């Protein structure tokens, strides 16, 4: 699936000061990404605070992005959960018009075995009318999809086309790349190791910092995919300090502070998340000013 090679961005959900969804800011964010060479957009992922959106708000976010995008970029919809049967039923009734794939996180809280993870994604693969990208993020789910399990899923279900690998473990990522079929997409879910993963044979990134510096991060990924190591690392080291900053107090607190400084959205989050501390916000704003 060549449309998912390169850089995807996990979009935030902008809120107004009264905590309602800021449709105008969301439209501006989408346009900014398109203008700055992002390859595809991920909708209603973790960065979107989707756990704190009700059903009507999720539909508003989806429809706003689909309309503003107007088929210019492929769209990936976050669709995961820890109730396998309920998720399969949701995929059968969800309005997926305008989307090219789903991003489905490994079941969280339940802590399934590797066999449980395999059986979960077997059901999801069979239920989904769209290609499926797995999402491995052990820091949030409390369970790790091992490379052998990913390889098994990849070979057994043709509509599972890739994985967003966010374990933050370059050794695991390299083992994963070495095991899976050549056309299976291993996509970084960790901004800091995006470049080494890409140079090792990965297919790019689904990024958070990419929506803050879309032109530069997109160029870095493109250079990495072309094997232009020296030029790519020059951009990596320029952006790297901001990656540490935006995750220092959780996601999306950091990226919202950055986007606020750039005039894209208000710096508002929904509880239980809170905005970045004053000290961290000053650091992020200073970085943007001097970038």
């Amino acid at each position: 699936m060549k449309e998912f090679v390169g850089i995807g961005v996990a979009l935030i959900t902008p809120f107004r000061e009264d905590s309602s969804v800021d449709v105008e800011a969301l439209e501006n964010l989408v346009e900014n990404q398109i203008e700055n060479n992002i390859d595809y957009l991920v909708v209603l992922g973790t960065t979107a605070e989707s756990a704190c959106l009700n059903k009507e708000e999720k539909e508003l976010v989806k429809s706003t992005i689909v309309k503003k995008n107007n088929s210019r970029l492929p769209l990936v919809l976050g669709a995961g959960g820890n109730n396998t049967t309920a998720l399969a039923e949701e995929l059968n009734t969800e309005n997926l018009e305008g989307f090219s794939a789903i991003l489905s996180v490994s079941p969280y809280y339940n802590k399934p075995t590797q066999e449980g993870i395999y059986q979960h994604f077997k059901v999801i693969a069979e239920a989904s009318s769209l290609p499926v990208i797995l999402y491995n993020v052990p820091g949030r789910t409390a369970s790790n999809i091992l490379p052998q399990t990913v390889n098994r899923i990849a070979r057994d279900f043709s509509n599972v086309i890739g994985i967003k690998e966010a374990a933050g473990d370059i050794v695991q990522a390299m083992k994963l790349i070495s095991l899976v079929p050549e056309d299976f997409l291993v996509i970084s879910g960790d901004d800091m190791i995006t470049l080494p993963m890409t140079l090792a044979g990965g297919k790019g990134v689904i990024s958070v910092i990419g929506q803050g510096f879309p032109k530069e991060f997109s160029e870095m990924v493109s250079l990495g995919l072309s094997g232009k190591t020296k030029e790519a690392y020059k951009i990596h080291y320029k952006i790297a300090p901001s990656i540490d900053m935006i995750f220092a107090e959780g996601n999306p607190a950091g990226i919202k502070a950055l986007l606020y400084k750039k005039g894209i959205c208000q710096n508002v989050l929904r509880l239980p998340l809170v905005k970045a501390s004053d000290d961290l916000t000053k650091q992020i704003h200073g970085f943007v000013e001097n970038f």
Side-chain angles (χ1 to χ4, degrees):
M1 299 287 289
K2 292 183 179 180
E3 60 188 340
F4 303 119
V5 174
I7 178 171
V9 159
L11 295 170
I12 65 158
T13 301
F15 298 123
R16 300 186 183 92
E17 291 292 346
D18 65 1
S19 196
S20 62
V21 175
D22 189 337
V23 170
E24 183 179 358
L26 183 56
E27 291 174 338
N28 291 339
L29 177 63
V30 169
E31 191 63 36
N32 180 262
Q33 303 306 296
I34 295 172
E35 290 176 353
N36 285 282
N37 303 323
I38 296 302
D39 295 305
Y40 60 99
L41 302 174
V42 177
V43 181
L44 294 178
T46 306
T47 306
E49 297 175 75
S50 53
C52 296
L53 299 175
N54 62 36
K55 185 175 181 179
E56 291 74 22
E57 289 170 328
K58 288 180 180 179
E59 288 301 319
L60 175 60
V61 168
K62 284 170 55 181
S63 62
T64 298
I65 294 172
V66 168
K67 183 178 180 180
K68 185 63 178 179
N69 180 57
N70 195 26
S71 301
R72 288 178 288 175
L73 296 183
L75 300 180
V76 177
L77 178 66
N82 61 348
N83 182 330
T84 306
T85 301
L87 179 56
E89 291 173 354
E90 179 183 323
L91 288 172
N92 284 321
T93 58
E94 184 89 5
N95 178 12
L96 300 175
E97 186 176 355
F99 291 90
S100 300
I102 65 165
L103 177 68
S104 195
V105 69
S106 184
Y108 42 84
Y109 190 76
N110 310 52
K111 298 180 73 173
T113 63
Q114 295 300 303
E115 183 63 26
I117 291 170
Y118 173 88
Q119 293 296 335
H120 169 84
F121 281 116
K122 178 179 186 292
V123 171
I124 301 314
E126 292 172 347
S128 179
S129 60
L130 292 178
V132 177
I133 301 172
L134 311 177
Y135 182 14
N136 185 37
V137 56
R140 290 186 180 273
T141 65
S143 64
N144 184 23
I145 315 179
L146 296 179
Q148 296 88 341
T149 303
V150 178
N151 182 47
R152 183 183 172 198
I153 295 169
R155 295 181 185 279
D156 287 353
F157 307 105
S158 60
N159 66 326
V160 179
I161 62 168
I163 182 169
K164 178 184 177 183
E165 174 54 46
D169 183 340
I170 188 64
V171 176
Q172 176 167 299
M174 291 171 71
K175 185 173 184 179
L176 179 57
I177 292 166
S178 73
L179 283 177
V180 296
E182 189 174 347
D183 61 349
F184 187 82
L185 307 174
V186 178
I187 301 165
S188 175
D190 187 311
D191 285 333
M192 191 62 83
I193 62 171
T194 290
L195 184 54
M197 274 187 66
T198 301
L199 292 170
K203 302 302 183 185
V205 63
I206 293 175
S207 176
V208 177
I209 194 63
Q211 67 194 304
F213 302 110
K215 183 177 180 180
E216 293 82 4
F217 213 65
S218 175
E219 183 181 1
M220 183 199 78
V221 172
S222 179
L223 289 167
L225 288 167
S226 300
K228 296 179 180 178
T229 307
K230 184 177 180 180
E231 298 94 325
Y233 267 114
K234 185 176 181 180
I235 299 173
H236 166 85
Y237 287 121
K238 183 180 181 182
I239 295 176
S242 70
I243 298 173
D244 283 333
M245 290 177 197
I246 67 165
F247 292 110
E249 294 180 4
N251 183 42
I255 192 62
K256 281 197 166 181
L258 190 154
L259 292 172
Y260 172 73
K261 178 62 176 177
K262 297 190 79 172
I264 292 175
C265 68
Q266 294 297 312
N267 190 13
V268 179
L269 292 90
R270 283 188 175 175
L271 290 171
L273 301 182
V274 295
K275 62 184 178 181
S277 64
D278 290 344
D279 182 60
L280 180 59
T281 299
K282 288 177 183 177
Q283 293 180 49
I284 292 171
H285 289 184
F287 185 89
V288 173
E289 289 172 2
N290 295 306
F291 187 74

